[in-house]
Amino acid sequence: NASPSPFILLLTLTMAAENVAELPIPGTKEDFWVRQEAPDGRLYFFNKATGVSQWHVPTELYDSRCLSRDNTNLREDFITKMPGSARAMLGVDVMTEIPGAGINSQIVKVREHLMSSLTETEEEPPRVKEHLFPQNLLRLNLIRARGLRDADFMPGRDKSDPYCLVEILGKEEESRFRTAVVMDDLDPVWNHVQLMPSYVPGDIISLSVWDEDNNEEVVKAAQEMEVENVANLYASLAADELLGKLLLTHEDLMEGSKEEVDYLLDDAGPGIEATITLRANMIRGWPMLKGRIVSDAKDDLEYSEPDLSIFAYEQADPGSVVTAWESIHMKEGYSGTFFGAYKEAAAKLKKGDRINLDGRVRSVKKVSRKGGVDAHDHREQVYVYVDEDINGILKVGAKWKKITATPPPGEDLSRVILYYDIQTKLVTNVPVMG
């Protein structure tokens, strides 16, 4: 017999003799099975019809002692092994019960493990690696503009707030993107790099530079300067104003494949000679990998491109702010070894991660599971614990961000870099050579 475990109930009958020679068992089988006493005083079961004797409880007489009769989702034969099956499958010579769900989580785990060993299961076949073919992609680097027109309402008080809008003619919806806005600058620097998977040689690229108008700020300034009829001023303001535009063919773009090229903007305004500086080149990439599981993407790339080195890096953290939901921290900030953070921002942290906390590097000790809710935007918040005391007072709104590894700088055409989201493990970029 196997030795009993805390999670499997082995029922055997071992009873002291109590002057019982032959005890009939009540029930439908009382004419067949009787208890009898062995010479050493132990009791056993004897079948008068067949002449069979055995120590364990007969199958017909077995009554479950630990299984819930209300659990209709579990079949008795699934969670109970009769002596014959127990001997063949488990190597024990007694009735065996495997407790059902609801007793406790540890028993459920043991039950599932035992049941899996009693049934034949098919192993999941290994993943078949996919051979990937790279595509030629246009990589456009919008570097800067110079000499833009001042299109703001009150020249001298502030300047244009330019951004650049780019799209492929005939493919506007799938290709359109824009740079960030540079405030109050007639010579903005964007350094915006964009891959354009839908571009093919022969397409025409449209670039246009715009002044983003913040009408509310304009009206506020007009009020401060006591401009008459502010309401009519607000209604007449355009959303954004064109500062210049440019159409580029494939031949134009390839002029900047090796170095920066300045292009003169059309419609820049009377007497204005504004330029835009960019660099463009065609590069091999794998747009089909964006959104895939990073481990699968890395395997497929290594299989498809054995001569290239494939690297995976966690996507750089955009950063977040210190928060609070308790009045004392909302008023006075934090001064110990913890601070408040939005739950979704802290979800990417684990013990040992380094963070830049208001200009100082700290190591994360833990993140609390529970916290509070912001009274204004109803976002969940938690506490982040760090290894050292916060120097001084850390106010609500202070900046923090996770420090992530970065690849060596420069372009290396023998490598491909995958960036992935630490929570979803999905690739976040279009991988390219370099």
Side-chain angles (χ1 to χ4, degrees):
N1 295 344
S3 57
S5 77
F7 311 116
I8 302 177
L9 180 60
L10 303 179
L11 301 180
T12 62
L13 183 65
T14 306
M15 308 173 80
E18 297 180 357
N19 300 321
V20 181
E22 184 174 294
L23 303 176
I25 299 175
T28 58
K29 303 296 183 181
E30 64 181 356
D31 293 334
F32 300 143
W33 289 102
V34 293
R35 294 189 185 97
Q36 292 191 338
E37 184 180 357
D40 60 1
R42 291 184 299 163
L43 294 181
Y44 64 94
F45 291 91
F46 175 71
N47 191 305
K48 294 190 294 183
T50 63
V52 171
S53 60
Q54 61 188 51
W55 294 112
H56 53 261
V57 178
T59 299
E60 301 94 314
L61 302 180
Y62 178 71
D63 185 21
S64 175
R65 304 279 183 89
C66 72
L67 302 175
S68 171
R69 297 256 180 221
D70 298 329
N71 195 341
T72 57
N73 293 324
L74 299 175
R75 303 191 312 275
E76 193 82 2
D77 61 347
F78 179 72
I79 53 180
T80 306
K81 292 296 172 189
M82 295 304 174
S85 299
R87 185 181 303 110
M89 295 176 143
L90 304 178
V92 296
D93 196 25
V94 291
M95 185 68 62
T96 303
E97 282 190 7
I98 302 162
I103 298 175
N104 66 52
S105 60
Q106 191 66 18
I107 289 180
V108 171
K109 291 180 181 178
V110 174
R111 167 184 173 275
E112 291 175 348
H113 176 73
L114 182 58
M115 284 296 97
S116 66
S117 68
L118 300 180
T119 58
E120 294 185 2
T121 58
E122 295 183 3
E123 293 187 2
E124 185 177 345
R127 178 180 173 272
V128 177
K129 294 181 181 180
E130 180 182 353
H131 190 88
L132 305 172
F133 296 94
Q135 298 180 19
N136 286 324
L137 306 175
L138 174 65
R139 181 168 61 183
L140 190 62
N141 183 2
L142 298 170
I143 301 171
R144 61 181 172 268
R146 287 194 180 101
L148 296 176
R149 176 170 54 90
D150 188 355
D152 272 9
F153 170 70
M154 289 170 286
R157 181 182 176 90
D158 53 11
K159 300 177 181 178
S160 297
D161 308 317
Y163 67 90
C164 186
L165 179 69
V166 182
E167 56 192 9
I168 300 173
L169 296 184
K171 303 177 182 178
E172 289 82 1
E173 291 300 321
E174 58 186 296
S175 64
R176 183 180 296 120
F177 71 91
R178 56 177 284 179
T179 67
V181 176
V182 180
M183 303 299 293
D184 294 328
D185 200 331
L186 302 182
D187 301 308
V189 176
W190 296 297
N191 277 328
H192 183 105
V193 179
Q194 184 82 19
L195 288 173
M196 305 187 72
S198 58
Y199 176 86
V200 294
D203 285 342
I204 296 178
I205 299 288
S206 169
L207 293 87
S208 52
V209 181
W210 299 82
D211 169 39
E212 183 178 72
D213 282 326
N214 188 327
N215 292 343
E216 293 182 359
E217 289 188 0
V218 172
V219 171
K220 181 179 179 181
Q223 290 173 334
E224 292 175 355
M225 297 178 65
E226 299 181 354
V227 174
E228 296 181 0
N229 207 345
V230 172
N232 290 340
L233 168 66
Y234 190 90
S236 65
L237 288 172
D240 291 334
E241 190 168 349
L242 181 67
L243 299 178
K245 62 183 180 179
L246 179 65
L247 295 179
L248 294 172
T249 65
H250 184 72
E251 291 72 19
D252 295 329
L253 290 170
M254 291 305 100
E255 289 181 13
S257 61
K258 295 182 179 180
E259 58 185 15
E260 300 174 3
V261 176
D262 293 331
Y263 297 92
L264 192 65
L265 290 173
D266 297 326
D267 297 334
I272 301 294
E273 293 187 359
T275 61
I276 186 168
T277 305
L278 57 87
R279 182 179 178 183
N281 59 342
M282 302 299 293
I283 190 168
R284 289 205 306 163
W286 294 264
M288 74 289 291
L289 291 180
K290 185 176 182 180
R292 288 199 189 180
I293 298 173
V294 64
S295 57
D296 292 348
K298 190 172 186 291
D299 285 346
D300 289 342
L301 269 180
E302 290 173 339
Y303 172 71
S304 305
E305 303 288 343
D307 295 332
L308 296 178
S309 299
I310 314 301
F311 300 96
Y313 287 87
E314 179 183 341
Q315 181 69 38
D317 182 17
S320 188
V321 295
V322 173
T323 64
W325 65 91
E326 295 180 304
S327 58
I328 185 172
H329 296 308
M330 294 174 67
K331 295 178 180 178
E332 301 180 8
Y334 298 89
S335 59
T337 58
F338 67 95
F339 64 93
Y342 288 119
K343 186 176 181 179
E344 67 269 19
K348 56 180 168 283
L349 298 176
K350 65 179 185 303
K351 183 178 179 180
D353 283 343
R354 295 188 307 149
I355 60 174
N356 186 319
L357 181 59
D358 202 25
R360 295 180 177 270
V361 176
R362 295 284 187 267
S363 292
V364 175
K365 293 184 66 176
K366 68 175 183 178
V367 177
S368 65
R369 294 185 178 181
K370 296 182 179 180
V373 177
D374 189 287
H376 300 290
D377 59 16
H378 306 292
R379 294 169 67 183
E380 291 187 73
Q381 302 175 38
V382 293
Y383 284 133
V384 177
Y385 293 82
V386 294
D387 59 339
E388 297 180 21
D389 281 345
I390 297 168
N391 293 331
I393 301 297
L394 187 66
K395 292 292 187 180
V396 172
K399 305 288 186 180
W400 72 269
K401 69 183 299 184
K402 180 180 179 180
I403 299 174
T404 56
T406 57
E411 188 173 64
D412 181 356
L413 295 181
S414 68
R415 72 181 180 184
V416 177
I417 297 175
L418 301 170
Y419 291 97
Y420 65 93
D421 183 273
I422 188 61
Q423 294 176 263
T424 65
K425 301 297 188 274
L426 299 181
V427 177
T428 57
N429 69 316
V430 175
V432 297
M433 290 177 56

